[in-house]
Amino acid sequence: MSSTPSVGFSFSQALSAQTAKKVTPVSDAPPVVEPAVLATPKALLAADNWQRGEVQLCCVEKWNETHDVVSFRFQGLTPVKFNFKPGQFITFKLAINGDKVYRSYTISSSPSRPFSLVITIKKITGGVVSNYLTESLNVGDEVTVTGPDGIFNLVDIEADKYLFLSAGCGVTPMHSMSRWLCDTTTDSDIAFVHSAKTVDDIMFANSMASMASRSPKFNLNYVLESDGNKQNLTDKHASTGCESGRLSLQTLVKLVPDYQQRTVFVCGPEPYMAAVKLMLEAAEFDMSQFNQESFGASSAMGLKAAMESNPSTEQFMLSIGDKQIPLTGNQTLLDGIESAKLPIIAACRSGVCGACKCQVVSGTTESSSKMALTAEEIAAGFVLACSTKITSNVRLQM
């Protein structure tokens, strides 16, 4: 292992870099569980699998994970068994103040518990969708979602030994993955290091401690900017590691000495993931074993810069069915699709969620992001509409 300067990450700095705004707490009260009208056990056991597509859900539980994070449990209006890959996300189709809005959220529950889905959402000052859902969506309300999507999961990424590195709400896919591994195997080798500002900001603390207590190969650790009350963590699970300050290579080596032999999964704010990637590259980690999820604003800004770095005024024709849509070489497929008012889900609009994938039947394009596409989809001509420009006349199939 080569020596490297400490590459640290400050969770508060990352949040300020993303929002520069103070989060308004929702409640410090204990979780409140209000039962809705549930399907009978017989109906659930006889339910069909839901694996792909649009589905109508009913909120059957709502509770606070932390002072500014809310979880929702959903069941199908028609009973279904939810079949998805641990780590994937679904996209909500909402109407807010008369506008159609789409937003993607990672499933924080596991397909090993298939009769409901749990979505966990952090309330953000100025966040249109997060505020709407955390404040206005209640038990008994119905929503329409589509999915599941996402290649950041335990099926498409195989591993023998896992290292989960997360910060903030980046813990949601890791919780789903951990639950799946603990529910379906008895000897999964998991090392988990989660970064947070304080103990009170840690999501799923009880659930994580319970899994680690039952699984001898589950190494659970936290890195806290402010480590007051850290005894609360070790009281839940005596073997929990807890370090102060920022995640650094020195801290990682202390908590997970064999990190070089593990497959790494990273999720969190963009500055956190960038710092982790730089740290591991400097440590000569095998980056073929490095995997990250991303829904951050920094991705969108980076994508915009990439798309505008070589502007073109040449005009081409985009054909979709019987629609003929003129586009310049500097406009995206999404620009054209939305200008023609054709239906498309564009949840992240930054080339990471994969919800806007579509197929190029003829013509040429250039894309600044393919991260949500599989090799098979790329070979078949699929692209992400939000991050693809046309370089000739193009026919598209949606």
Side-chain angles (χ1 to χ4, degrees):
M1 182 187 307
S2 64
S3 61
T4 178
S6 173
V7 180
F9 163 74
S10 166
F11 188 71
S12 58
Q13 289 175 1
L15 287 180
S16 64
Q18 298 236 87
T19 63
K21 297 178 181 179
K22 183 179 179 182
V23 175
T24 303
V26 292
S27 175
D28 292 324
V32 176
V33 178
E34 302 179 47
V37 177
L38 304 179
T40 65
K42 183 177 180 180
L44 287 172
L45 289 174
D48 292 331
N49 281 340
W50 173 76
Q51 290 184 280
R52 182 73 193 164
E54 188 172 288
V55 63
Q56 282 68 50
L57 305 179
C58 177
C59 178
V60 296
E61 289 184 64
K62 177 182 181 181
W63 66 91
N64 291 325
E65 294 286 353
T66 72
H67 60 96
D68 59 0
V69 176
V70 179
S71 281
F72 302 86
R73 185 181 300 278
F74 297 96
Q75 288 186 335
L77 289 185
T78 300
V80 292
K81 298 175 185 175
F82 296 100
N83 191 344
F84 57 95
K85 302 172 184 178
Q88 287 191 307
F89 58 87
I90 56 175
T91 299
F92 284 73
K93 303 174 69 173
L94 304 167
I96 302 178
N97 298 325
D99 295 326
K100 291 183 179 179
V101 181
Y102 303 96
R103 195 69 85 248
S104 299
Y105 291 100
T106 301
I107 304 167
S108 56
S109 55
S110 166
S112 53
R113 304 182 178 194
F115 298 105
S116 63
L117 288 177
V118 178
I119 303 297
T120 302
I121 301 173
K122 181 180 178 67
K123 185 178 180 181
I124 301 294
T125 301
V128 174
V129 180
S130 65
N131 287 349
Y132 172 80
L133 291 174
T134 55
E135 294 176 359
S136 302
L137 182 65
N138 295 303
V139 171
D141 290 343
E142 299 173 7
V143 294
T144 299
V145 305
T146 187
D149 291 290
I151 60 174
F152 184 77
N153 64 74
L154 291 189
V155 176
D156 294 321
I157 304 170
E158 297 183 358
D160 295 321
K161 298 172 67 176
Y162 303 88
L163 173 54
F164 297 149
L165 300 174
S166 63
C169 285
V171 72
T172 53
M174 312 305 193
H175 182 262
S176 176
M177 294 176 184
S178 297
R179 173 63 68 193
W180 166 261
L181 291 171
C182 289
D183 282 353
T184 58
T185 64
T186 57
D187 60 350
S188 293
D189 194 331
I190 306 167
F192 200 124
V193 183
H194 178 64
S195 297
K197 290 190 293 184
T198 70
V199 170
D200 293 337
D201 293 292
I202 295 175
M203 299 158 52
F204 314 123
N206 291 331
S207 176
M208 298 299 297
S210 177
M211 286 187 279
S213 297
R214 296 197 313 272
S215 302
K217 290 187 177 181
F218 195 139
N219 177 19
L220 178 61
N221 306 277
Y222 294 99
V223 178
L224 304 174
E225 289 191 35
S226 176
D227 63 0
N229 299 324
K230 69 178 182 181
Q231 186 65 37
N232 292 343
L233 296 176
T234 55
D235 284 346
K236 299 178 192 301
H237 177 48
S239 297
T240 298
C242 190
E243 295 294 317
S244 303
R246 306 176 183 182
L247 178 63
S248 65
L249 183 57
Q250 182 180 6
T251 300
L252 182 60
V253 171
K254 179 179 179 180
L255 297 175
V256 190
D258 66 344
Y259 77 96
Q260 290 275 8
Q261 285 74 56
R262 295 177 177 272
T263 300
V264 173
F265 295 76
V266 181
C267 190
E270 289 288 338
Y272 168 82
M273 292 191 295
V276 170
K277 184 176 182 180
L278 179 61
M279 177 183 72
L280 292 176
E281 286 176 336
E284 298 182 357
F285 181 79
D286 179 1
M287 298 306 288
S288 68
Q289 299 302 307
F290 177 89
N291 308 277
Q292 74 174 49
E293 180 66 287
S294 177
F295 291 96
S298 298
S299 288
M301 291 186 289
L303 173 64
K304 183 178 180 182
M307 298 295 286
E308 295 177 349
S309 62
N310 187 25
S312 170
T313 57
E314 188 174 3
Q315 193 167 83
F316 303 107
M317 191 63 68
L318 173 64
S319 301
I320 306 174
D322 60 356
K323 297 280 187 180
Q324 301 292 312
I325 308 163
L327 280 184
T328 69
N330 196 42
Q331 292 178 287
T332 66
L333 291 176
L334 182 60
D335 291 332
I337 293 167
E338 291 186 329
S339 70
K341 300 189 183 303
L342 294 172
I344 186 171
I345 298 174
C348 74
R349 312 182 78 88
S350 59
V352 296
C353 80
C356 66
K357 71 177 67 172
C358 47
Q359 188 175 26
V360 176
V361 178
S362 64
T364 59
T365 64
E366 61 179 17
S367 298
S368 59
S369 174
K370 298 180 181 180
M371 63 184 299
L373 300 172
T374 65
E376 292 77 11
E377 287 173 329
I378 294 172
F382 283 91
V383 297
L384 302 178
C386 70
S387 57
T388 300
K389 299 182 293 185
I390 62 178
T391 55
S392 73
N393 293 335
V394 164
R395 176 164 292 279
L396 200 67
Q397 181 172 305
M398 297 174 60

